[in-house]
């Protein structure tokens, strides 16, 4: 997999206020690269559907996921602990390219599979203690276009909600105070949409 990191146009930088920034790279991966990567991950990832506690009920998350990374990059959320699987070669290559682009290291990636419009992720922030005070999250979309929504955590925030339509090969980098001050989500949709894979690279403190 080859990545032309130097011939691409500069990203669209969204200033969310108070030190929160989002870099939007449309079609960061070329369509043929994105399609090949989506097919590879669909077949090779170790897909799981863990359960979380919502309102006292134990329910499966509305999507499938896989967790890859260095052995010490243990993910903890919703009262559960996830041990990373060893890097797939394709994920390792993507990791190296994104580290060059972002100027930051990544030791893990969460891969989510949204099978259709019924699969989603609710409002949340990637603000777990293991991610540090200002985590940098690089989020790559493969497959069907889905709405990516952000809204401020505080109602009195001067900014309003933001919605991006993320499609094949689009990259979003959330940095600065984004996880501290903002929530993001992939809402359900009644539209007929094909499968989508999303990869979020991050650094997890040991």
């Amino acid at each position: 997999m080859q990545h032309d990191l130097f011939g691409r146009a500069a990203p669209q930088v969204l200033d969310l206020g108070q030190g929160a920034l989002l870099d939007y790279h449309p079609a960061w991966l070329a369509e043929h690269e994105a399609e090949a990567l989506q097919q590879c991950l669909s077949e090779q990832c170790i897909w799981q559907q863990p359960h979380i506690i919502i309102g006292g009920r134990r329910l499966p998350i509305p999507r499938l996921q896989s967790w890859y990374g260095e052995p010490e990059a243990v993910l903890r959320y919703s009262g559960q602990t996830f041990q990373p699987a060893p890097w797939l070669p394709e994920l390792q290559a993507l990791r190296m390219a994104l580290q060059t682009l972002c100027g930051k290291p990544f030791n893990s990636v969460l891969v989510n599979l949204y099978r259709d419009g019924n699969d989603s992720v609710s409002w949340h922030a990637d603000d777990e203690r293991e991610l540090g005070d200002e985590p940098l999250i690089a989020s790559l979309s493969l497959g069907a276009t889905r709405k990516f929504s952000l809204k401020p955590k505080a109602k009195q925030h001067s900014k309003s909600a933001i919605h991006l339509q993320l499609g094949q090969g689009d990259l979003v980098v959330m940095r600065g105070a984004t996880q501290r001050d903002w929530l993001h989500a992939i809402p359900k949709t009644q539209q007929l949409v094909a499968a989508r894979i999303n990869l979020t690279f991050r650094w997890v403190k040991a």
Side-chain angles (χ1 to χ4, degrees):
M1 185 186 304
Q2 297 183 1
H3 304 270
D4 179 9
L5 299 179
F6 304 102
R8 298 180 186 273
Q12 300 176 29
V13 180
L14 304 180
D15 187 346
L16 305 178
Q18 300 177 4
L21 297 165
L22 184 147
D23 300 335
Y24 173 42
H25 303 255
W28 181 75
L29 271 187
E31 185 173 358
H32 70 280
E33 288 184 304
E35 289 177 350
L37 181 60
Q38 182 186 10
Q39 181 67 29
C40 170
L41 296 179
S42 296
E43 296 173 353
Q44 295 191 33
C45 280
I46 307 168
W47 298 114
Q48 300 175 331
Q49 190 173 20
H51 288 67
I52 58 176
I53 305 299
I54 301 178
R57 301 172 60 196
R58 186 172 182 270
L59 300 171
I61 64 170
R63 61 194 177 278
L64 303 182
Q65 71 176 35
S66 294
W67 178 246
Y68 292 90
E70 301 301 313
E72 69 276 8
V74 178
L75 179 66
R76 298 179 179 87
Y77 72 89
S78 195
Q80 297 192 65
T81 300
F82 299 93
Q83 299 288 341
W87 291 99
L88 297 175
E90 293 78 8
L91 295 176
Q92 184 71 278
L94 196 57
R95 170 199 186 190
M96 299 304 293
L98 286 169
Q99 288 183 153
T100 299
L101 176 72
C102 298
K104 295 284 186 179
F106 299 111
N107 65 358
S108 53
V109 60
L110 180 62
V111 188
N112 282 309
L113 171 59
Y114 300 84
R115 296 159 292 184
D116 54 34
N118 291 314
D119 279 357
S120 64
V121 62
S122 59
W123 290 110
H124 71 287
D126 296 317
D127 55 3
E128 291 82 6
R129 179 179 56 82
E130 293 86 357
L131 300 182
D133 294 333
E134 291 192 346
L136 187 147
I137 308 291
S139 175
L140 177 66
S141 295
L142 306 171
T145 298
R146 293 288 296 268
K147 181 191 291 186
F148 175 72
S149 299
L150 300 104
K151 68 177 182 181
K153 290 182 181 181
K155 292 183 179 180
Q156 67 271 25
H157 200 288
S158 61
K159 300 286 186 177
S160 56
I162 295 171
H163 307 283
L164 298 174
Q165 295 291 335
L166 297 182
Q168 186 75 284
D170 290 348
L171 174 68
V172 166
V173 179
M174 296 177 281
R175 55 190 176 93
T178 303
Q179 305 306 322
R180 184 194 69 194
D181 295 344
W182 289 73
L183 302 171
H184 55 277
I186 301 290
K188 295 181 185 293
T189 177
Q190 294 183 349
Q191 297 179 355
L192 294 176
V193 293
R196 171 186 186 262
I197 289 178
N198 175 250
L199 305 95
T200 50
F201 287 82
R202 61 195 73 193
W203 179 271
V204 176
K205 295 181 179 179

